[in-house]
Amino acid sequence: MATVVATGAPRPGRARRVRTRSERRELWAALAFISPWIVGFLVFTAWPVIYSAYLSFTDYDVINDPSFVGLDNYRQLLEDPKIRLSLWNTFVYTVVQVPLLVLISLALAMLLDKAGRAAGFFRTAFYLPNMTPLVAVGVLILLLFNGQEGLINDVLGVFGIDGPNWTTDPQWVKPAIIAMSLWSVGSSVIILLAALRNVPQELYDAARVDGAGFWRRTSSVTLPMISGAMFFVFVVNSIAAFQTFTETYTAFFGAANTTYGNDAALFYVIYLFQQAFQFLNMGYASAMAWLLFVIILVVTLIQLRVSKRLVYLEGEQR
């Protein structure tokens, strides 16, 4: 039987080559468009990370060339009492501040979800503090929590409460910093509000038919359905809490501040900054940075492990 081949039809091999060339052109075009980001990432992120890993094994004071010292910087981490102090302060701050921030954000998001047309205004109002420069927040800490003339103690005095010395008493320094950090819950509120708006109304209707009250609906419908967003907020704010720096440094360790220096406010990143830019121990500061990276990585991996039991993903088989 004779086989008829259409002379106008492209051969399979030729069509494949044409498609390959077209895909290659699209790939190069995409790379050209994202090349500014690639260059920025390599120059300002990847290279500093790699170089800091090298510096962590050296003695480097910025002025002289780095000299290799092996693991001496990491051994010093184990012997430095301020490393333990700053890590303890950072862990206490994180363990208290992050759950408080998530709970307050959730409460405000649930209120906004019921606000109707006014939700847009309050959304903007809650987010505005996130636009405040962190240096200004550090100054606000001193103004609001001043033990003698601060607004917080003035308000407490109206109710007959003698307010503490927030900025000088070591027992009250971290509570003051934590309270001030809750100023910027706006971004978390917006994320959780978006998650609440995506909860199917049918689930609430079914729960009401079954006689579920507010707390039952919240625990059985709301929290499971927004658990993914809550987990995201928890992880992101945990990472941010471990790296808290600007507002606390401005309030307690700024160059012009000689009154309020307090070891209770010595967070890990502040001590890292002091080692790097005040004492010029760049090698030691690089080792500190890699220790912080490992700590954040371990904490995040633990959170991811726990999330497999606590976070509900729609369509996931349990």
Side-chain angles (χ1 to χ4, degrees), residues 110 113-114 195-196 198-210 212 214 217-218 220-223 225-226:
M110 294 179 71
D113 192 38
K114 305 297 183 183
L196 286 170
N198 285 327
V199 178
Q201 185 62 38
E202 295 81 4
L203 297 178
Y204 291 117
D205 294 338
R208 289 189 183 94
V209 170
D210 291 339
F214 171 78
R217 293 196 303 271
T218 300
S220 299
V221 178
T222 304
L223 294 182
M225 294 302 295
I226 68 169

mmCIF file with all atom_site columns, all heavy atoms in Angstrom, residues 110 113-114 195-196 198-210 212 214 217-218 220-223 225-226:
data_model
loop_
_atom_site.group_PDB
_atom_site.id
_atom_site.type_symbol
_atom_site.label_atom_id
_atom_site.label_alt_id
_atom_site.label_comp_id
_atom_site.label_asym_id
_atom_site.label_entity_id
_atom_site.label_seq_id
_atom_site.pdbx_PDB_ins_code
_atom_site.Cartn_x
_atom_site.Cartn_y
_atom_site.Cartn_z
_atom_site.occupancy
_atom_site.B_iso_or_equiv
_atom_site.pdbx_formal_charge
_atom_site.auth_seq_id
_atom_site.auth_comp_id
_atom_site.auth_asym_id
_atom_site.auth_atom_id
_atom_site.pdbx_PDB_model_num
ATOM 1   N N   . MET A 1 110 ? -10.880 39.987 63.577 1.00 0.00 ? 110 MET A N   1
ATOM 2   C CA  . MET A 1 110 ? -12.262 39.518 63.745 1.00 0.00 ? 110 MET A CA  1
ATOM 3   C C   . MET A 1 110 ? -13.216 40.693 63.952 1.00 0.00 ? 110 MET A C   1
ATOM 4   O O   . MET A 1 110 ? -14.357 40.667 63.486 1.00 0.00 ? 110 MET A O   1
ATOM 5   C CB  . MET A 1 110 ? -12.333 38.533 64.905 1.00 0.00 ? 110 MET A CB  1
ATOM 6   C CG  . MET A 1 110 ? -11.583 37.234 64.648 1.00 0.00 ? 110 MET A CG  1
ATOM 7   S SD  . MET A 1 110 ? -11.635 36.067 66.022 1.00 0.00 ? 110 MET A SD  1
ATOM 8   C CE  . MET A 1 110 ? -13.355 35.544 65.946 1.00 0.00 ? 110 MET A CE  1
ATOM 9   N N   . ASP A 1 113 ? -13.708 42.296 60.590 1.00 0.00 ? 113 ASP A N   1
ATOM 10  C CA  . ASP A 1 113 ? -14.546 41.463 59.731 1.00 0.00 ? 113 ASP A CA  1
ATOM 11  C C   . ASP A 1 113 ? -16.028 41.769 59.928 1.00 0.00 ? 113 ASP A C   1
ATOM 12  O O   . ASP A 1 113 ? -16.844 41.522 59.037 1.00 0.00 ? 113 ASP A O   1
ATOM 13  C CB  . ASP A 1 113 ? -14.266 39.987 60.021 1.00 0.00 ? 113 ASP A CB  1
ATOM 14  C CG  . ASP A 1 113 ? -14.874 39.070 58.984 1.00 0.00 ? 113 ASP A CG  1
ATOM 15  O OD1 . ASP A 1 113 ? -14.865 39.436 57.790 1.00 0.00 ? 113 ASP A OD1 1
ATOM 16  O OD2 . ASP A 1 113 ? -15.357 37.985 59.354 1.00 0.00 ? 113 ASP A OD2 1
ATOM 17  N N   . LYS A 1 114 ? -16.366 42.316 61.100 1.00 0.00 ? 114 LYS A N   1
ATOM 18  C CA  . LYS A 1 114 ? -17.755 42.657 61.393 1.00 0.00 ? 114 LYS A CA  1
ATOM 19  C C   . LYS A 1 114 ? -18.027 44.157 61.239 1.00 0.00 ? 114 LYS A C   1
ATOM 20  O O   . LYS A 1 114 ? -19.120 44.623 61.526 1.00 0.00 ? 114 LYS A O   1
ATOM 21  C CB  . LYS A 1 114 ? -18.105 42.243 62.834 1.00 0.00 ? 114 LYS A CB  1
ATOM 22  C CG  . LYS A 1 114 ? -17.839 40.774 63.151 1.00 0.00 ? 114 LYS A CG  1
ATOM 23  C CD  . LYS A 1 114 ? -18.689 39.842 62.318 1.00 0.00 ? 114 LYS A CD  1
ATOM 24  C CE  . LYS A 1 114 ? -18.455 38.386 62.712 1.00 0.00 ? 114 LYS A CE  1
ATOM 25  N NZ  . LYS A 1 114 ? -19.236 37.459 61.850 1.00 0.00 ? 114 LYS A NZ  1
ATOM 26  N N   . ALA A 1 195 ? -7.727  36.336 55.358 1.00 0.00 ? 195 ALA A N   1
ATOM 27  C CA  . ALA A 1 195 ? -8.032  34.920 55.569 1.00 0.00 ? 195 ALA A CA  1
ATOM 28  C C   . ALA A 1 195 ? -9.454  34.738 56.090 1.00 0.00 ? 195 ALA A C   1
ATOM 29  O O   . ALA A 1 195 ? -10.166 33.819 55.664 1.00 0.00 ? 195 ALA A O   1
ATOM 30  C CB  . ALA A 1 195 ? -7.027  34.315 56.548 1.00 0.00 ? 195 ALA A CB  1
ATOM 31  N N   . LEU A 1 196 ? -9.886  35.611 56.990 1.00 0.00 ? 196 LEU A N   1
ATOM 32  C CA  . LEU A 1 196 ? -11.251 35.515 57.520 1.00 0.00 ? 196 LEU A CA  1
ATOM 33  C C   . LEU A 1 196 ? -12.292 35.734 56.426 1.00 0.00 ? 196 LEU A C   1
ATOM 34  O O   . LEU A 1 196 ? -13.343 35.074 56.414 1.00 0.00 ? 196 LEU A O   1
ATOM 35  C CB  . LEU A 1 196 ? -11.445 36.551 58.640 1.00 0.00 ? 196 LEU A CB  1
ATOM 36  C CG  . LEU A 1 196 ? -10.767 36.258 59.979 1.00 0.00 ? 196 LEU A CG  1
ATOM 37  C CD1 . LEU A 1 196 ? -10.851 37.474 60.892 1.00 0.00 ? 196 LEU A CD1 1
ATOM 38  C CD2 . LEU A 1 196 ? -11.394 35.050 60.644 1.00 0.00 ? 196 LEU A CD2 1
ATOM 39  N N   . ASN A 1 198 ? -12.129 34.828 53.502 1.00 0.00 ? 198 ASN A N   1
ATOM 40  C CA  . ASN A 1 198 ? -12.171 33.674 52.597 1.00 0.00 ? 198 ASN A CA  1
ATOM 41  C C   . ASN A 1 198 ? -12.802 32.442 53.231 1.00 0.00 ? 198 ASN A C   1
ATOM 42  O O   . ASN A 1 198 ? -12.883 31.391 52.581 1.00 0.00 ? 198 ASN A O   1
ATOM 43  C CB  . ASN A 1 198 ? -10.757 33.330 52.127 1.00 0.00 ? 198 ASN A CB  1
ATOM 44  C CG  . ASN A 1 198 ? -10.238 34.309 51.092 1.00 0.00 ? 198 ASN A CG  1
ATOM 45  O OD1 . ASN A 1 198 ? -11.007 34.839 50.293 1.00 0.00 ? 198 ASN A OD1 1
ATOM 46  N ND2 . ASN A 1 198 ? -8.946  34.562 51.114 1.00 0.00 ? 198 ASN A ND2 1
ATOM 47  N N   . VAL A 1 199 ? -13.219 32.535 54.491 1.00 0.00 ? 199 VAL A N   1
ATOM 48  C CA  . VAL A 1 199 ? -13.887 31.393 55.126 1.00 0.00 ? 199 VAL A CA  1
ATOM 49  C C   . VAL A 1 199 ? -15.296 31.276 54.551 1.00 0.00 ? 199 VAL A C   1
ATOM 50  O O   . VAL A 1 199 ? -16.060 32.244 54.590 1.00 0.00 ? 199 VAL A O   1
ATOM 51  C CB  . VAL A 1 199 ? -13.945 31.576 56.662 1.00 0.00 ? 199 VAL A CB  1
ATOM 52  C CG1 . VAL A 1 199 ? -14.686 30.397 57.302 1.00 0.00 ? 199 VAL A CG1 1
ATOM 53  C CG2 . VAL A 1 199 ? -12.536 31.677 57.231 1.00 0.00 ? 199 VAL A CG2 1
ATOM 54  N N   . PRO A 1 200 ? -15.674 30.124 54.014 1.00 0.00 ? 200 PRO A N   1
ATOM 55  C CA  . PRO A 1 200 ? -17.018 29.979 53.420 1.00 0.00 ? 200 PRO A CA  1
ATOM 56  C C   . PRO A 1 200 ? -18.121 30.237 54.441 1.00 0.00 ? 200 PRO A C   1
ATOM 57  O O   . PRO A 1 200 ? -18.102 29.672 55.544 1.00 0.00 ? 200 PRO A O   1
ATOM 58  C CB  . PRO A 1 200 ? -17.037 28.521 52.936 1.00 0.00 ? 200 PRO A CB  1
ATOM 59  C CG  . PRO A 1 200 ? -15.601 28.145 52.784 1.00 0.00 ? 200 PRO A CG  1
ATOM 60  C CD  . PRO A 1 200 ? -14.864 28.901 53.851 1.00 0.00 ? 200 PRO A CD  1
ATOM 61  N N   . GLN A 1 201 ? -19.069 31.062 54.073 1.00 0.00 ? 201 GLN A N   1
ATOM 62  C CA  . GLN A 1 201 ? -20.186 31.383 54.960 1.00 0.00 ? 201 GLN A CA  1
ATOM 63  C C   . GLN A 1 201 ? -21.031 30.154 55.252 1.00 0.00 ? 201 GLN A C   1
ATOM 64  O O   . GLN A 1 201 ? -21.663 30.050 56.317 1.00 0.00 ? 201 GLN A O   1
ATOM 65  C CB  . GLN A 1 201 ? -21.041 32.485 54.326 1.00 0.00 ? 201 GLN A CB  1
ATOM 66  C CG  . GLN A 1 201 ? -22.163 32.993 55.201 1.00 0.00 ? 201 GLN A CG  1
ATOM 67  C CD  . GLN A 1 201 ? -21.665 33.635 56.493 1.00 0.00 ? 201 GLN A CD  1
ATOM 68  O OE1 . GLN A 1 201 ? -20.642 34.313 56.487 1.00 0.00 ? 201 GLN A OE1 1
ATOM 69  N NE2 . GLN A 1 201 ? -22.377 33.418 57.589 1.00 0.00 ? 201 GLN A NE2 1
ATOM 70  N N   . GLU A 1 202 ? -21.045 29.184 54.313 1.00 0.00 ? 202 GLU A N   1
ATOM 71  C CA  . GLU A 1 202 ? -21.845 27.976 54.513 1.00 0.00 ? 202 GLU A CA  1
ATOM 72  C C   . GLU A 1 202 ? -21.423 27.201 55.764 1.00 0.00 ? 202 GLU A C   1
ATOM 73  O O   . GLU A 1 202 ? -22.265 26.561 56.421 1.00 0.00 ? 202 GLU A O   1
ATOM 74  C CB  . GLU A 1 202 ? -21.730 27.056 53.295 1.00 0.00 ? 202 GLU A CB  1
ATOM 75  C CG  . GLU A 1 202 ? -22.322 27.625 52.018 1.00 0.00 ? 202 GLU A CG  1
ATOM 76  C CD  . GLU A 1 202 ? -21.383 28.597 51.324 1.00 0.00 ? 202 GLU A CD  1
ATOM 77  O OE1 . GLU A 1 202 ? -20.240 28.763 51.810 1.00 0.00 ? 202 GLU A OE1 1
ATOM 78  O OE2 . GLU A 1 202 ? -21.790 29.205 50.305 1.00 0.00 ? 202 GLU A OE2 1
ATOM 79  N N   . LEU A 1 203 ? -20.142 27.269 56.087 1.00 0.00 ? 203 LEU A N   1
ATOM 80  C CA  . LEU A 1 203 ? -19.676 26.561 57.283 1.00 0.00 ? 203 LEU A CA  1
ATOM 81  C C   . LEU A 1 203 ? -20.263 27.186 58.548 1.00 0.00 ? 203 LEU A C   1
ATOM 82  O O   . LEU A 1 203 ? -20.646 26.472 59.482 1.00 0.00 ? 203 LEU A O   1
ATOM 83  C CB  . LEU A 1 203 ? -18.144 26.581 57.340 1.00 0.00 ? 203 LEU A CB  1
ATOM 84  C CG  . LEU A 1 203 ? -17.418 25.870 56.191 1.00 0.00 ? 203 LEU A CG  1
ATOM 85  C CD1 . LEU A 1 203 ? -15.912 26.005 56.356 1.00 0.00 ? 203 LEU A CD1 1
ATOM 86  C CD2 . LEU A 1 203 ? -17.815 24.402 56.146 1.00 0.00 ? 203 LEU A CD2 1
ATOM 87  N N   . TYR A 1 204 ? -20.332 28.512 58.588 1.00 0.00 ? 204 TYR A N   1
ATOM 88  C CA  . TYR A 1 204 ? -20.934 29.185 59.744 1.00 0.00 ? 204 TYR A CA  1
ATOM 89  C C   . TYR A 1 204 ? -22.431 28.881 59.820 1.00 0.00 ? 204 TYR A C   1
ATOM 90  O O   . TYR A 1 204 ? -22.974 28.663 60.915 1.00 0.00 ? 204 TYR A O   1
ATOM 91  C CB  . TYR A 1 204 ? -20.706 30.692 59.664 1.00 0.00 ? 204 TYR A CB  1
ATOM 92  C CG  . TYR A 1 204 ? -19.277 31.113 59.864 1.00 0.00 ? 204 TYR A CG  1
ATOM 93  C CD1 . TYR A 1 204 ? -18.568 31.747 58.850 1.00 0.00 ? 204 TYR A CD1 1
ATOM 94  C CD2 . TYR A 1 204 ? -18.622 30.889 61.076 1.00 0.00 ? 204 TYR A CD2 1
ATOM 95  C CE1 . TYR A 1 204 ? -17.249 32.139 59.031 1.00 0.00 ? 204 TYR A CE1 1
ATOM 96  C CE2 . TYR A 1 204 ? -17.303 31.285 61.266 1.00 0.00 ? 204 TYR A CE2 1
ATOM 97  C CZ  . TYR A 1 204 ? -16.625 31.906 60.239 1.00 0.00 ? 204 TYR A CZ  1
ATOM 98  O OH  . TYR A 1 204 ? -15.319 32.286 60.425 1.00 0.00 ? 204 TYR A OH  1
ATOM 99  N N   . ASP A 1 205 ? -23.082 28.870 58.666 1.00 0.00 ? 205 ASP A N   1
ATOM 100 C CA  . ASP A 1 205 ? -24.518 28.581 58.655 1.00 0.00 ? 205 ASP A CA  1
ATOM 101 C C   . ASP A 1 205 ? -24.793 27.170 59.170 1.00 0.00 ? 205 ASP A C   1
ATOM 102 O O   . ASP A 1 205 ? -25.725 26.954 59.958 1.00 0.00 ? 205 ASP A O   1
ATOM 103 C CB  . ASP A 1 205 ? -25.067 28.738 57.236 1.00 0.00 ? 205 ASP A CB  1
ATOM 104 C CG  . ASP A 1 205 ? -24.992 30.172 56.747 1.00 0.00 ? 205 ASP A CG  1
ATOM 105 O OD1 . ASP A 1 205 ? -24.913 31.080 57.603 1.00 0.00 ? 205 ASP A OD1 1
ATOM 106 O OD2 . ASP A 1 205 ? -24.996 30.385 55.506 1.00 0.00 ? 205 ASP A OD2 1
ATOM 107 N N   . ALA A 1 206 ? -23.973 26.216 58.740 1.00 0.00 ? 206 ALA A N   1
ATOM 108 C CA  . ALA A 1 206 ? -24.139 24.837 59.201 1.00 0.00 ? 206 ALA A CA  1
ATOM 109 C C   . ALA A 1 206 ? -23.898 24.728 60.703 1.00 0.00 ? 206 ALA A C   1
ATOM 110 O O   . ALA A 1 206 ? -24.607 24.004 61.417 1.00 0.00 ? 206 ALA A O   1
ATOM 111 C CB  . ALA A 1 206 ? -23.204 23.912 58.448 1.00 0.00 ? 206 ALA A CB  1
ATOM 112 N N   . ALA A 1 207 ? -22.897 25.479 61.202 1.00 0.00 ? 207 ALA A N   1
ATOM 113 C CA  . ALA A 1 207 ? -22.599 25.443 62.640 1.00 0.00 ? 207 ALA A CA  1
ATOM 114 C C   . ALA A 1 207 ? -23.755 26.039 63.442 1.00 0.00 ? 207 ALA A C   1
ATOM 115 O O   . ALA A 1 207 ? -24.105 25.529 64.519 1.00 0.00 ? 207 ALA A O   1
ATOM 116 C CB  . ALA A 1 207 ? -21.306 26.198 62.926 1.00 0.00 ? 207 ALA A CB  1
ATOM 117 N N   . ARG A 1 208 ? -24.373 27.106 62.932 1.00 0.00 ? 208 ARG A N   1
ATOM 118 C CA  . ARG A 1 208 ? -25.515 27.710 63.640 1.00 0.00 ? 208 ARG A CA  1
ATOM 119 C C   . ARG A 1 208 ? -26.702 26.748 63.662 1.00 0.00 ? 208 ARG A C   1
ATOM 120 O O   . ARG A 1 208 ? -27.411 26.663 64.668 1.00 0.00 ? 208 ARG A O   1
ATOM 121 C CB  . ARG A 1 208 ? -25.909 29.021 62.964 1.00 0.00 ? 208 ARG A CB  1
ATOM 122 C CG  . ARG A 1 208 ? -24.907 30.155 63.158 1.00 0.00 ? 208 ARG A CG  1
ATOM 123 C CD  . ARG A 1 208 ? -25.475 31.472 62.660 1.00 0.00 ? 208 ARG A CD  1
ATOM 124 N NE  . ARG A 1 208 ? -24.501 32.554 62.771 1.00 0.00 ? 208 ARG A NE  1
ATOM 125 C CZ  . ARG A 1 208 ? -23.685 32.930 61.780 1.00 0.00 ? 208 ARG A CZ  1
ATOM 126 N NH1 . ARG A 1 208 ? -23.728 32.288 60.620 1.00 0.00 ? 208 ARG A NH1 1
ATOM 127 N NH2 . ARG A 1 208 ? -22.833 33.912 61.958 1.00 0.00 ? 208 ARG A NH2 1
ATOM 128 N N   . VAL A 1 209 ? -26.903 26.058 62.562 1.00 0.00 ? 209 VAL A N   1
ATOM 129 C CA  . VAL A 1 209 ? -27.989 25.079 62.523 1.00 0.00 ? 209 VAL A CA  1
ATOM 130 C C   . VAL A 1 209 ? -27.776 23.998 63.576 1.00 0.00 ? 209 VAL A C   1
ATOM 131 O O   . VAL A 1 209 ? -28.732 23.517 64.214 1.00 0.00 ? 209 VAL A O   1
ATOM 132 C CB  . VAL A 1 209 ? -28.096 24.455 61.113 1.00 0.00 ? 209 VAL A CB  1
ATOM 133 C CG1 . VAL A 1 209 ? -29.051 23.267 61.113 1.00 0.00 ? 209 VAL A CG1 1
ATOM 134 C CG2 . VAL A 1 209 ? -28.553 25.502 60.110 1.00 0.00 ? 209 VAL A CG2 1
ATOM 135 N N   . ASP A 1 210 ? -26.515 23.637 63.791 1.00 0.00 ? 210 ASP A N   1
ATOM 136 C CA  . ASP A 1 210 ? -26.197 22.624 64.802 1.00 0.00 ? 210 ASP A CA  1
ATOM 137 C C   . ASP A 1 210 ? -26.218 23.176 66.226 1.00 0.00 ? 210 ASP A C   1
ATOM 138 O O   . ASP A 1 210 ? -25.948 22.445 67.180 1.00 0.00 ? 210 ASP A O   1
ATOM 139 C CB  . ASP A 1 210 ? -24.819 22.012 64.526 1.00 0.00 ? 210 ASP A CB  1
ATOM 140 C CG  . ASP A 1 210 ? -24.818 21.152 63.272 1.00 0.00 ? 210 ASP A CG  1
ATOM 141 O OD1 . ASP A 1 210 ? -25.910 20.713 62.877 1.00 0.00 ? 210 ASP A OD1 1
ATOM 142 O OD2 . ASP A 1 210 ? -23.735 20.934 62.695 1.00 0.00 ? 210 ASP A OD2 1
ATOM 143 N N   . ALA A 1 212 ? -24.238 25.700 67.418 1.00 0.00 ? 212 ALA A N   1
ATOM 144 C CA  . ALA A 1 212 ? -22.933 26.151 67.901 1.00 0.00 ? 212 ALA A CA  1
ATOM 145 C C   . ALA A 1 212 ? -22.968 27.643 68.212 1.00 0.00 ? 212 ALA A C   1
ATOM 146 O O   . ALA A 1 212 ? -23.447 28.446 67.408 1.00 0.00 ? 212 ALA A O   1
ATOM 147 C CB  . ALA A 1 212 ? -21.853 25.851 66.869 1.00 0.00 ? 212 ALA A CB  1
ATOM 148 N N   . PHE A 1 214 ? -20.820 31.297 69.589 1.00 0.00 ? 214 PHE A N   1
ATOM 149 C CA  . PHE A 1 214 ? -19.690 32.048 69.025 1.00 0.00 ? 214 PHE A CA  1
ATOM 150 C C   . PHE A 1 214 ? -18.370 31.328 69.258 1.00 0.00 ? 214 PHE A C   1
ATOM 151 O O   . PHE A 1 214 ? -17.568 31.163 68.327 1.00 0.00 ? 214 PHE A O   1
ATOM 152 C CB  . PHE A 1 214 ? -19.645 33.452 69.633 1.00 0.00 ? 214 PHE A CB  1
ATOM 153 C CG  . PHE A 1 214 ? -18.396 34.216 69.270 1.00 0.00 ? 214 PHE A CG  1
ATOM 154 C CD1 . PHE A 1 214 ? -18.281 34.805 68.022 1.00 0.00 ? 214 PHE A CD1 1
ATOM 155 C CD2 . PHE A 1 214 ? -17.346 34.330 70.181 1.00 0.00 ? 214 PHE A CD2 1
ATOM 156 C CE1 . PHE A 1 214 ? -17.122 35.504 67.677 1.00 0.00 ? 214 PHE A CE1 1
ATOM 157 C CE2 . PHE A 1 214 ? -16.190 35.022 69.843 1.00 0.00 ? 214 PHE A CE2 1
ATOM 158 C CZ  . PHE A 1 214 ? -16.089 35.611 68.595 1.00 0.00 ? 214 PHE A CZ  1
ATOM 159 N N   . ARG A 1 217 ? -18.084 28.168 67.209 1.00 0.00 ? 217 ARG A N   1
ATOM 160 C CA  . ARG A 1 217 ? -17.840 28.454 65.791 1.00 0.00 ? 217 ARG A CA  1
ATOM 161 C C   . ARG A 1 217 ? -16.405 28.922 65.575 1.00 0.00 ? 217 ARG A C   1
ATOM 162 O O   . ARG A 1 217 ? -15.767 28.564 64.578 1.00 0.00 ? 217 ARG A O   1
ATOM 163 C CB  . ARG A 1 217 ? -18.825 29.523 65.290 1.00 0.00 ? 217 ARG A CB  1
ATOM 164 C CG  . ARG A 1 217 ? -20.274 29.076 65.257 1.00 0.00 ? 217 ARG A CG  1
ATOM 165 C CD  . ARG A 1 217 ? -21.100 30.020 64.398 1.00 0.00 ? 217 ARG A CD  1
ATOM 166 N NE  . ARG A 1 217 ? -21.022 31.398 64.868 1.00 0.00 ? 217 ARG A NE  1
ATOM 167 C CZ  . ARG A 1 217 ? -21.841 31.939 65.765 1.00 0.00 ? 217 ARG A CZ  1
ATOM 168 N NH1 . ARG A 1 217 ? -22.796 31.187 66.313 1.00 0.00 ? 217 ARG A NH1 1
ATOM 169 N NH2 . ARG A 1 217 ? -21.727 33.194 66.119 1.00 0.00 ? 217 ARG A NH2 1
ATOM 170 N N   . THR A 1 218 ? -15.912 29.701 66.523 1.00 0.00 ? 218 THR A N   1
ATOM 171 C CA  . THR A 1 218 ? -14.540 30.192 66.387 1.00 0.00 ? 218 THR A CA  1
ATOM 172 C C   . THR A 1 218 ? -13.528 29.046 66.446 1.00 0.00 ? 218 THR A C   1
ATOM 173 O O   . THR A 1 218 ? -12.601 28.977 65.621 1.00 0.00 ? 218 THR A O   1
ATOM 174 C CB  . THR A 1 218 ? -14.230 31.212 67.497 1.00 0.00 ? 218 THR A CB  1
ATOM 175 O OG1 . THR A 1 218 ? -15.140 32.310 67.403 1.00 0.00 ? 218 THR A OG1 1
ATOM 176 C CG2 . THR A 1 218 ? -12.803 31.722 67.377 1.00 0.00 ? 218 THR A CG2 1
ATOM 177 N N   . SER A 1 220 ? -14.096 25.738 66.040 1.00 0.00 ? 220 SER A N   1
ATOM 178 C CA  . SER A 1 220 ? -14.317 24.625 65.116 1.00 0.00 ? 220 SER A CA  1
ATOM 179 C C   . SER A 1 220 ? -14.337 25.031 63.650 1.00 0.00 ? 220 SER A C   1
ATOM 180 O O   . SER A 1 220 ? -14.134 24.182 62.777 1.00 0.00 ? 220 SER A O   1
ATOM 181 C CB  . SER A 1 220 ? -15.643 23.930 65.452 1.00 0.00 ? 220 SER A CB  1
ATOM 182 O OG  . SER A 1 220 ? -15.618 23.394 66.762 1.00 0.00 ? 220 SER A OG  1
ATOM 183 N N   . VAL A 1 221 ? -14.581 26.308 63.379 1.00 0.00 ? 221 VAL A N   1
ATOM 184 C CA  . VAL A 1 221 ? -14.657 26.758 61.988 1.00 0.00 ? 221 VAL A CA  1
ATOM 185 C C   . VAL A 1 221 ? -13.577 27.792 61.682 1.00 0.00 ? 221 VAL A C   1
ATOM 186 O O   . VAL A 1 221 ? -12.731 27.594 60.802 1.00 0.00 ? 221 VAL A O   1
ATOM 187 C CB  . VAL A 1 221 ? -16.053 27.331 61.668 1.00 0.00 ? 221 VAL A CB  1
ATOM 188 C CG1 . VAL A 1 221 ? -16.090 27.851 60.226 1.00 0.00 ? 221 VAL A CG1 1
ATOM 189 C CG2 . VAL A 1 221 ? -17.125 26.280 61.878 1.00 0.00 ? 221 VAL A CG2 1
ATOM 190 N N   . THR A 1 222 ? -13.596 28.909 62.428 1.00 0.00 ? 222 THR A N   1
ATOM 191 C CA  . THR A 1 222 ? -12.715 30.026 62.098 1.00 0.00 ? 222 THR A CA  1
ATOM 192 C C   . THR A 1 222 ? -11.239 29.649 62.205 1.00 0.00 ? 222 THR A C   1
ATOM 193 O O   . THR A 1 222 ? -10.481 29.810 61.241 1.00 0.00 ? 222 THR A O   1
ATOM 194 C CB  . THR A 1 222 ? -13.015 31.222 63.011 1.00 0.00 ? 222 THR A CB  1
ATOM 195 O OG1 . THR A 1 222 ? -14.394 31.577 62.905 1.00 0.00 ? 222 THR A OG1 1
ATOM 196 C CG2 . THR A 1 222 ? -12.153 32.410 62.618 1.00 0.00 ? 222 THR A CG2 1
ATOM 197 N N   . LEU A 1 223 ? -10.828 29.163 63.372 1.00 0.00 ? 223 LEU A N   1
ATOM 198 C CA  . LEU A 1 223 ? -9.406  28.893 63.573 1.00 0.00 ? 223 LEU A CA  1
ATOM 199 C C   . LEU A 1 223 ? -8.858  27.828 62.631 1.00 0.00 ? 223 LEU A C   1
ATOM 200 O O   . LEU A 1 223 ? -7.769  28.008 62.066 1.00 0.00 ? 223 LEU A O   1
ATOM 201 C CB  . LEU A 1 223 ? -9.153  28.510 65.039 1.00 0.00 ? 223 LEU A CB  1
ATOM 202 C CG  . LEU A 1 223 ? -9.397  29.631 66.055 1.00 0.00 ? 223 LEU A CG  1
ATOM 203 C CD1 . LEU A 1 223 ? -9.075  29.163 67.465 1.00 0.00 ? 223 LEU A CD1 1
ATOM 204 C CD2 . LEU A 1 223 ? -8.561  30.863 65.712 1.00 0.00 ? 223 LEU A CD2 1
ATOM 205 N N   . MET A 1 225 ? -9.888  27.102 59.618 1.00 0.00 ? 225 MET A N   1
ATOM 206 C CA  . MET A 1 225 ? -9.897  27.595 58.242 1.00 0.00 ? 225 MET A CA  1
ATOM 207 C C   . MET A 1 225 ? -8.842  28.676 58.002 1.00 0.00 ? 225 MET A C   1
ATOM 208 O O   . MET A 1 225 ? -8.405  28.869 56.868 1.00 0.00 ? 225 MET A O   1
ATOM 209 C CB  . MET A 1 225 ? -11.278 28.130 57.886 1.00 0.00 ? 225 MET A CB  1
ATOM 210 C CG  . MET A 1 225 ? -12.366 27.070 57.837 1.00 0.00 ? 225 MET A CG  1
ATOM 211 S SD  . MET A 1 225 ? -12.004 25.741 56.668 1.00 0.00 ? 225 MET A SD  1
ATOM 212 C CE  . MET A 1 225 ? -12.019 26.622 55.115 1.00 0.00 ? 225 MET A CE  1
ATOM 213 N N   . ILE A 1 226 ? -8.435  29.399 59.049 1.00 0.00 ? 226 ILE A N   1
ATOM 214 C CA  . ILE A 1 226 ? -7.405  30.431 58.862 1.00 0.00 ? 226 ILE A CA  1
ATOM 215 C C   . ILE A 1 226 ? -6.075  30.007 59.481 1.00 0.00 ? 226 ILE A C   1
ATOM 216 O O   . ILE A 1 226 ? -5.174  30.826 59.631 1.00 0.00 ? 226 ILE A O   1
ATOM 217 C CB  . ILE A 1 226 ? -7.851  31.780 59.467 1.00 0.00 ? 226 ILE A CB  1
ATOM 218 C CG1 . ILE A 1 226 ? -7.930  31.698 60.995 1.00 0.00 ? 226 ILE A CG1 1
ATOM 219 C CG2 . ILE A 1 226 ? -9.167  32.242 58.880 1.00 0.00 ? 226 ILE A CG2 1
ATOM 220 C CD1 . ILE A 1 226 ? -8.093  33.059 61.663 1.00 0.00 ? 226 ILE A CD1 1
#
